[in-house]
Amino acid sequence: MSEQPSAIGLHKQLDAIWRTPPGLAGLSSVNHTILGKRFMMLALLFFAIGGLLSMLIRAQLATPNSAFLGPEIYNQVFTMHGTVMMFLFAIPMFEGFAIYMLPKLLGARDLAFPRLTAYGFWCYLFGGSILIVAMLMGVAPNGGWFMYTPLSSKPYTPGINADVWLLGITFVEISAVTAAVEIFVTILKMRAPGMALTRMPLFAWYMLVTAGMMIIGFPPLILGSILLEMERAFDLPFFDPTRGGDPLLWQHLFWLFGHPEVYIIFLPAAGALSTIIPVFAQRPILGYRAIIAAIVAMAFLSFGLWVHHMFTVGIPHLALAFFSAASALVAIPTAVQIFAWIGTLASGRPRWDIPMLYVAGFFVVFVIGGLTGVMLAMVPFNTQAHDSYFVVAHLHYVLVGGFVFPMLAAIYYWLPHISGRQSLYRLSIPAFWLILIGFNLTFFLMHLTGLMGMPRRISTYPSNWGWDWLNLLSSVGGFILTMGFALVLADMVLQFRFGARFRRDPWQAGTLEWATATPPPSYNLAAIPHIETRADQLQPARIGPALASGNGYLGFARNGEQETLAVDMMSGEAEQLIVLPRRSYLPLWTALATASFFLALLFKLYWLAPLGALATLVLFLFWPISLGSKSDRGPIDIGRDLAVPPDVEALNNVTVLANRTALVMNGTLFASLLFGGLFLLVVAPNWQGSNAPNLPLWTGALAMVASLSAAGAAAMAARRPGSVLPLRAGLVAAIALQSLALILLALSMGTLGDPTGHARQAMPFVTLGYAALHCGLGVIMAAHALWRHAQGYVSARRRTELVLARLWNGYAGGVVVLALGLGALLGLDGVAP
Amino acid sequence: MFKPVALCATPLLLTGCTGALSTLDPAGPRAANLATLWWVMLYGSALLFALVMALFAMAYLRPAWVTRITPAQWIVGGGLVLPIPILILLTGTALVLGEQLLPRGDAPLRFGAHAERWHWTFTYPDGREMSDEVLHIPAGRPIDVAVTSQDVIHAFWVPRLGGKIDAIPGHENLIRLEADEPGTYWGQCAEYCGPGHDGMWFRIEAHASDDFAGLMGGGQ
Amino acid sequence: MSSIIEMPLVRLVAGFVIWSIGFVVLYAAQALGCAYGWGDWHRPALIAVYAAVLVPLTWMSLPGRNEGRSGALFAAALWANRSALLAALLVFMPVTFASLCS
């Protein structure tokens, strides 16, 4: 640091630290730029597969009485089309975009947990491959993408098809879970100094809210999938109405995820629009604060809509009214954003370019989708349109309008950032018109097809209902649409090959990602800037060269370590120095171990599954080994005359925040489980006269006392990090007590009565099992802290491990209390209505 | 309603709106209410769509017309003042209509519809089974159908008479329907139920009161 | 741990958290009332919850509460809380008239 190297020299030094070597070593990459691109490439591949499947659907439905695909094949095709597009294309696509973009936009050098990004990618790849391989073998899921029970239960889907969905999708969801935690933590903690929350670009706000929604929204689906797989594998009757289960429980759990999911997909796209539109309007976005309020409102309201997928299941009108009103109301924050965008254009000096062409397409398509959404929110109309082609039209208008058109605009806007070249524009205009016309021809007519009475998911239809011409035209439109997408793909390939290179910031944008060189270097920014204004009104072309020559924070290479900064969540003041872990094959090995667990379940090798889980756990225990420090370093120079402590010496670091976030997510899963128990008690048939579960009082009380004492002991250890004896005693006590609680809970699970007989036994069985599992995790976290302490990684200032032990043991204690409470409630005589 | 007729006659939509399964060709008061709700929403939506598109187009084509609108006017006007009254009015109307459509009040005849993969079994109010997947009802008066399922979830839908209701194993759902005139009304399973879902058609035969009394009394 | 969840962020979501709690309680009370036959007490109980939810939301929507505090986040929070009030007012309104159990 004594003498400042040239920009080129600095680049070489930093790149030597951050780069991923070419060739097979790429498998060890944990770099967010590389992984973001991999996510997006794979998502595009799945988009192509999903598109191919939709072509099969349209070919089948083009004419009446078609014998092209039989119903068995057709059912797999439409199930896979929906599943691939939702779970393997849309979600990973925006995750990949956020992974690629957020650190650059916020002024960080990577995400908070680079190895977790890599692990998520492998889970996505392996989980998605399970689904695709199953499809090629002819055993793809065939229960529709929302897998309604009892159709997807064992008696009606005896084959492996439903297991492929449940296990494959849950495997893929691991990547959504890890991405959500990582995005949430990165946005809150890893911005350029000076970038207060209120100076964040709107895209970061959108992603923050999206990540928050994923943290609450995904657990119900994951729980539902676990319960249904347990029903299929071990005959626990959660959804079987003859044994106290209820098919409606699945619908609640699925749509509790499934509706927010639509907004989880839309919000990142809206974030991209809120970034692109001001650039072409040549003025800052209008209504920054109103938009923040609107996305918060949208996030919450979207959790109050799930039953609008269930208006015809026979729920009392008052309950429907809540969901109907909330569904209508969510149009208001949407309108706020739409008018903020139009207003931005109207009050700026709008210029026209290819991205704006696709933004215009977004307005046309999405507004129609929003309006039909309000129609469907009206209960009486919904009873006609539900499950008809009207709904098919609506959902494609919303998802293609709300995600695919913004994605295309984003591709034309940001692909130059990835390629370092500008688009050629020859193909993009005809491509746009083919897509717009093809899309509307296909799907606009479907509104009418649906109103004419065509239900969704029929593989063929007779000629006498008047649907023939509508379907034929829809099929023609579908093929036009596909040609449009093929042109866009060709355009992308040509851009990489023939596009003209450019200097920084081709669009005169105002956000930090354009301050990097393009294509971006492995470390993003050679120095991290200090942000003085709102970070969507910067001048990348001016600050880029200054940063490249090291003017800013961390504008140097030090100790061969991957350094970046953490800031105060609100004010954005520099707070900690983060040293990120290096590239590693561990994520790949861990994901392979996880894959062995899922494959063992899929092929019913139930003896092997615990080994897979154990291998995954053991491999995860290797992760922290390369992290941390054995001595207190105190404040460290970060440039610009500022020194901050390393993050291991702070308590509000990214690790602690991530664990808290993970616990909130975990708590949502547990809350969904408790909801399931109460729901079955109140609503499910065949509870009158069922046998109460037998939960011995003394075992339960003792387990509760043991687990809560363990939580107390772990908390004590965390409070007294300086003195060795209380610390070790506390952790050892936590391990012993939590183990005792685990054993007692396992014993209680044995006394409940046959869990396959009735949901009244099955529900407490899994709830206590969940609690026992978390006692086990409490043991592991306490043992981990003890081990790290013995190794010298824990001191009075470095106590992250102790905090984690406290958090997980405290969570386990709370879970044990609530799980036993549910068991006791279901055990009461006469509790069933 | 002349407007629906005008739209259905548009040459582009060669098929028109009539059809044995068309919700836009209602044959009973309940289905007619739902169709009216649809047409009102359609015209309202068309207006709103045109408004949004016009504003977007003006930002580029006639910027002078829209530059004087202030940020607050865009957001408060477009985001709040425009949609809130419309949504309150629409949702309120729909809820009141929904209350009226509920199967309540003076108990009419209650028929049974039992779904099993992949056919329907209908019963008279006295429990006798009907044959050939045909549900016989009286015309000109409301009737209730109690919908149940043997196996997986199905849905009972007769578009020209009213909305649909799911047939869920373990539950019994009630739907009220009414046909104005005697005649044949086609229905179908609307909830995906496996490989035979395509062919789960059925018919409702509505009879004049006297004829229906004969069917009820005759014991077939 | 006040440093973890900073006040302005809490304020931003507080109104809608209350809305969510109200939503869950009302939906649960509707179902429980039908299952366990609360009869004539059912609707008054729901209306009481409705009113109880509106009180804190109204208070949070008053403009005077943010005096001395400026910044985009407080303004956004005020508007988010007002949206929550509006959402509660409209979404829960059907407890006053809609059919409880059919």
Side-chain angles (χ1 to χ4, degrees):
Chain A
M1 282 145 278
S2 51
E3 84 189 78
Q4 186 72 21
S6 67
I8 302 283
L10 184 57
H11 166 75
K12 283 184 175 158
Q13 289 177 8
L14 284 169
D15 193 51
I17 298 174
W18 290 83
R19 70 194 285 264
T20 303
L24 269 183
L27 296 178
S28 68
S29 179
V30 297
N31 180 280
H32 76 106
T33 299
I34 293 175
L35 288 165
K37 286 193 284 191
R38 283 185 193 163
F39 260 96
M40 289 189 278
M41 289 277 287
L42 191 53
L44 279 183
L45 177 66
F46 282 121
F47 184 56
I49 295 174
L52 211 63
L53 292 168
S54 72
M55 289 300 93
L56 293 178
I57 295 175
R58 282 325 313 171
Q60 165 75 7
L61 294 179
T63 53
N65 301 313
S66 168
F68 172 53
L69 307 170
E72 275 81 7
I73 302 288
Y74 182 80
N75 294 346
Q76 293 189 20
V77 169
F78 80 72
T79 301
M80 282 299 285
H81 168 69
T83 304
V84 167
M85 288 302 198
M86 290 302 256
F87 294 102
L88 304 183
F89 160 62
I91 299 172
M93 188 66 180
F94 80 72
E95 283 167 6
F97 180 66
I99 287 168
Y100 178 88
M101 195 55 71
L102 276 174
K104 300 178 181 72
L105 191 71
L106 297 171
R109 282 175 171 160
D110 208 320
L111 292 163
F113 308 101
R115 294 180 299 181
L116 204 58
T117 323
Y119 175 69
F121 173 76
W122 296 118
C123 289
Y124 167 41
L125 174 67
F126 298 155
S129 304
I130 290 178
L131 280 148
I132 299 303
V133 170
M135 182 172 76
L136 297 176
M137 314 267 286
V139 288
N142 56 3
W145 80 272
F146 35 81
M147 291 289 287
Y148 273 3
T149 56
L151 182 60
S152 56
S153 301
K154 201 79 181 175
Y156 305 104
T157 307
I160 201 176
N161 312 55
D163 303 307
V164 168
W165 193 96
L166 293 167
L167 295 167
I169 292 299
T170 304
F171 197 6
V172 171
E173 289 326 310
I174 292 177
S175 73
V177 166
T178 56
V181 173
E182 201 168 18
I183 289 170
F184 192 74
V185 172
T186 302
I187 295 174
L188 283 178
K189 288 297 291 181
M190 295 175 66
R191 308 190 297 267
M195 195 191 286
L197 267 189
T198 47
R199 285 180 180 166
M200 279 203 311
L202 273 177
F203 182 74
W205 270 106
Y206 274 100
M207 284 313 304
L208 180 65
V209 173
T210 305
M213 291 178 69
M214 291 170 81
I215 286 162
I216 309 292
F218 275 80
L221 170 70
I222 294 172
L223 175 76
S225 302
I226 293 171
L227 293 184
L228 182 50
E229 185 54 34
M230 283 170 83
E231 175 174 306
R232 291 181 54 86
F234 308 116
D235 202 26
L236 299 179
F238 303 109
F239 308 106
D240 176 0
T242 61
R243 290 180 287 161
D246 197 329
L248 291 182
L249 174 60
W250 170 263
Q251 297 194 13
H252 279 292
L253 291 174
F254 187 89
W255 291 119
L256 198 45
F257 149 82
H259 201 88
E261 151 84 349
V262 176
Y263 292 83
I264 288 171
I265 291 174
F266 170 66
L267 282 180
L273 293 170
S274 291
T275 312
I276 295 172
I277 289 174
V279 172
F280 291 95
Q282 309 195 66
R283 61 150 291 156
I285 186 92
L286 184 152
Y288 179 83
R289 289 172 284 183
I291 290 180
I292 293 173
I295 52 186
V296 169
M298 205 172 204
F300 278 91
L301 286 172
S302 74
F303 280 91
L305 319 182
W306 81 88
V307 167
H308 82 207
H309 299 266
M310 302 165 62
F311 276 168
T312 63
V313 302
I315 289 175
H317 196 237
L318 173 60
L320 299 186
F322 292 150
F323 293 95
S324 171
S327 309
L329 222 53
V330 79
I332 293 171
T334 317
V336 167
Q337 292 169 75
I338 297 266
F339 282 98
W341 292 327
I342 296 180
T344 303
L345 287 169
S347 48
R349 289 172 292 117
R351 61 195 156 105
W352 192 252
D353 213 319
I354 299 302
M356 280 313 290
L357 193 58
Y358 288 89
V359 171
F362 152 80
F363 275 107
V364 173
V365 174
F366 184 72
V367 170
I368 293 179
L371 290 166
T372 53
V374 172
M375 296 179 187
L376 285 169
M378 302 301 124
V379 181
F381 176 68
N382 187 290
T383 63
Q384 284 285 32
H386 177 69
D387 268 335
S388 79
Y389 264 80
F390 190 91
V391 169
V392 178
H394 161 71
L395 77 91
H396 283 90
Y397 267 85
V398 171
L399 291 170
V400 174
F403 189 75
V404 176
F405 272 96
M407 177 190 84
L408 292 168
I411 285 176
Y412 279 102
Y413 180 77
W414 274 298
L415 196 60
H417 191 278
I418 297 176
S419 68
R421 292 163 185 269
Q422 278 175 305
S423 175
L424 300 170
Y425 290 163
R426 299 249 169 72
L427 296 175
S428 51
I429 295 170
F432 169 77
W433 289 109
L434 286 174
I435 291 173
L436 188 74
I437 293 169
F439 175 82
N440 282 294
L441 185 59
T442 310
F443 292 103
F444 194 79
L445 295 178
M446 281 187 193
H447 293 113
L448 189 59
T449 321
L451 292 173
M452 300 276 292
M454 180 158 167
R456 66 197 289 194
R457 299 178 166 180
I458 53 174
S459 67
T460 185
Y461 53 92
S463 185
N464 48 333
W465 305 129
W467 306 333
D468 303 13
W469 280 100
L470 291 167
N471 274 303
L472 183 61
L473 286 174
S474 280
S475 294
V476 171
F479 286 92
I480 297 174
L481 177 61
T482 308
M483 284 190 275
F485 281 121
L487 276 191
V488 171
L489 184 65
D491 198 21
M492 288 166 67
V493 174
L494 290 175
Q495 177 183 330
F496 275 90
R497 184 75 184 76
F498 299 110
R501 293 188 177 281
F502 60 94
R503 300 286 303 166
R504 280 191 176 81
D505 194 14
W507 306 110
Q508 293 93 52
T511 39
L512 200 52
E513 79 274 22
W514 292 107
T516 68
T518 43
S522 52
Y523 51 85
N524 285 348
L525 297 164
I528 296 172
H530 190 87
I531 303 294
E532 318 265 348
T533 59
R534 213 169 74 197
D536 56 358
Q537 293 163 46
L538 306 172
Q539 290 170 295
R542 192 175 57 80
I543 59 179
L547 296 175
S549 54
N551 292 323
Y553 297 102
L554 296 178
F556 43 73
R558 174 165 55 193
N559 304 339
E561 284 184 334
Q562 298 188 164
E563 293 181 328
T564 189
L565 291 177
V567 297
D568 177 71
M569 236 186 283
M570 285 303 305
S571 68
E573 281 168 38
E575 203 176 62
Q576 301 148 20
L577 177 75
I578 296 179
V579 177
L580 290 170
R582 309 296 294 266
R583 69 185 179 82
S584 154
Y585 290 97
L586 259 182
L588 177 58
W589 297 129
T590 315
L592 283 170
T594 316
S596 75
F597 169 73
F598 280 101
L599 288 172
L601 289 178
L602 185 60
F603 294 113
K604 305 189 170 34
L605 306 170
Y606 294 122
W607 57 272
L608 188 62
L611 294 179
L614 191 68
T616 309
L617 179 69
V618 169
L619 282 165
F620 265 121
L621 289 175
F622 278 96
W623 286 40
I625 287 179
S626 64
L627 298 178
S629 159
K630 289 191 180 183
S631 61
D632 293 337
R633 293 166 74 189
I636 301 166
D637 171 43
I638 57 168
R640 288 182 54 116
D641 299 326
L642 208 60
V644 293
D647 75 326
V648 289
E649 290 175 29
L651 273 188
N652 51 352
N653 60 24
V654 288
T655 310
V656 172
L657 182 61
N659 276 271
R660 286 175 184 275
T661 313
L663 283 177
V664 169
M665 203 168 203
N666 204 344
T668 313
L669 186 116
F670 185 58
S672 308
L673 182 59
L674 295 179
F675 161 78
L678 298 176
F679 177 85
L680 291 183
L681 167 66
V682 175
V683 175
N686 295 321
W687 275 60
Q688 278 288 349
S690 58
N691 291 326
N694 172 35
L695 192 62
L697 188 63
W698 67 269
T699 0
L702 204 57
M704 194 158 22
V705 171
S707 188
L708 288 174
S709 310
M716 194 187 73
R719 197 172 301 125
R720 302 278 298 279
S723 37
V724 173
L725 195 63
L727 184 150
R728 292 204 170 162
L731 289 176
V732 170
I735 293 170
L737 288 165
Q738 210 67 279
S739 305
L740 176 66
L742 194 161
I743 293 166
L744 291 171
L745 288 171
L747 288 176
S748 314
M749 286 167 71
T751 64
L752 288 169
D754 178 15
T756 64
H758 196 278
R760 200 166 174 183
Q761 276 75 37
M763 265 297 167
F765 185 79
V766 290
T767 315
L768 292 178
Y770 177 90
L773 178 71
H774 281 80
C775 291
L777 290 178
V779 170
I780 290 171
M781 294 309 280
H784 171 250
L786 200 59
W787 175 59
R788 293 284 282 182
H789 183 259
Q791 300 271 305
Y793 286 106
V794 177
S795 76
R797 278 159 75 175
R798 290 172 277 118
R799 48 201 248 226
T800 304
E801 287 86 349
L802 301 176
V803 175
L804 300 190
R806 191 196 79 202
L807 286 174
W808 284 88
N809 278 287
Y811 181 78
V815 162
V816 169
V817 173
L818 289 169
L820 289 166
L822 180 76
L825 177 68
L826 297 187
L828 291 179
D829 287 330
V831 67
Chain B
M1 299 273 307
F2 72 94
K3 283 174 177 173
V5 175
L7 188 116
C8 291
T10 309
L12 177 70
L13 308 176
L14 296 161
T15 47
C17 294
T18 57
L21 286 167
S22 178
T23 63
L24 305 180
D25 186 14
R30 311 175 81 78
N33 274 336
L34 302 178
T36 308
L37 179 61
W38 151 253
W39 289 114
V40 170
M41 291 194 297
L42 174 65
Y43 289 109
S45 299
L47 275 179
L48 288 172
F49 176 72
L51 175 71
V52 176
M53 287 308 114
L55 288 171
F56 178 69
M58 271 190 269
Y60 275 97
L61 304 177
R62 294 281 183 278
W65 295 3
V66 285
T67 40
R68 264 183 294 162
I69 304 175
T70 65
Q73 284 168 337
W74 278 109
I75 289 183
V76 176
L80 306 178
V81 176
L82 177 69
I84 288 177
I86 296 175
L87 289 171
I88 290 178
L89 201 66
L90 180 61
T91 313
T93 312
L95 288 177
V96 172
L97 179 61
E99 283 288 317
Q100 292 167 356
L101 295 176
L102 290 178
R104 289 187 312 175
D106 49 353
L109 295 172
R110 180 189 284 209
F111 297 81
H114 189 65
E116 186 176 355
R117 304 214 294 176
W118 289 276
H119 60 87
W120 295 88
T121 311
F122 299 109
T123 47
Y124 285 105
D126 57 13
R128 275 182 303 129
E129 270 190 24
M130 306 181 195
S131 56
D132 298 334
E133 297 191 70
V134 180
L135 172 59
H136 297 278
I137 63 167
R141 57 189 279 205
I143 55 109
D144 280 352
V145 183
V147 181
T148 51
S149 168
Q150 182 67 33
D151 38 43
V152 304
I153 299 176
H154 305 268
F156 176 90
W157 187 26
V158 189
R160 295 190 63 206
L161 299 187
K164 62 178 75 65
I165 194 87
D166 288 356
I168 300 175
H171 296 265
E172 181 186 89
N173 282 330
L174 219 51
I175 186 171
R176 187 163 293 182
L177 299 175
E178 183 174 347
D180 286 330
E181 302 290 334
T184 301
Y185 303 100
W186 282 90
Q188 59 190 319
C189 172
E191 181 65 61
Y192 172 60
C193 54
H197 177 50
D198 315 333
M200 241 176 111
W201 313 104
F202 59 91
R203 272 183 302 152
I204 286 190
E205 293 283 355
H207 304 274
S209 308
D210 298 346
D211 299 348
F212 185 74
L215 275 178
M216 287 280 282
Q220 287 196 308
Chain C
M1 205 94 177
S2 62
S3 62
I4 294 300
I5 304 296
E6 309 279 338
M7 273 306 289
L9 273 184
V10 172
R11 190 177 286 241
L12 184 63
V13 298
F16 271 105
V17 168
I18 293 174
W19 176 85
S20 308
I21 293 169
F23 196 99
V24 170
V25 171
L26 282 173
Y27 189 39
Q30 178 272 327
L32 291 173
C34 295
Y36 293 96
W38 291 357
D40 291 343
W41 286 103
H42 197 183
R43 194 179 296 279
L46 293 173
I47 293 176
V49 176
Y50 180 35
V53 170
L54 292 182
V55 174
L57 286 176
T58 311
W59 182 69
M60 294 166 72
S61 302
L62 299 176
R65 285 211 330 118
N66 289 315
E67 273 170 29
R69 291 200 177 97
S70 59
L73 213 48
F74 282 100
L78 185 62
W79 280 103
N81 292 337
R82 287 175 178 171
S83 320
L85 174 65
L86 180 76
L89 205 60
L90 295 178
V91 172
F92 306 155
M93 174 101 70
V95 297
T96 56
F97 66 89
S99 293
L100 290 170
C101 300
S102 65

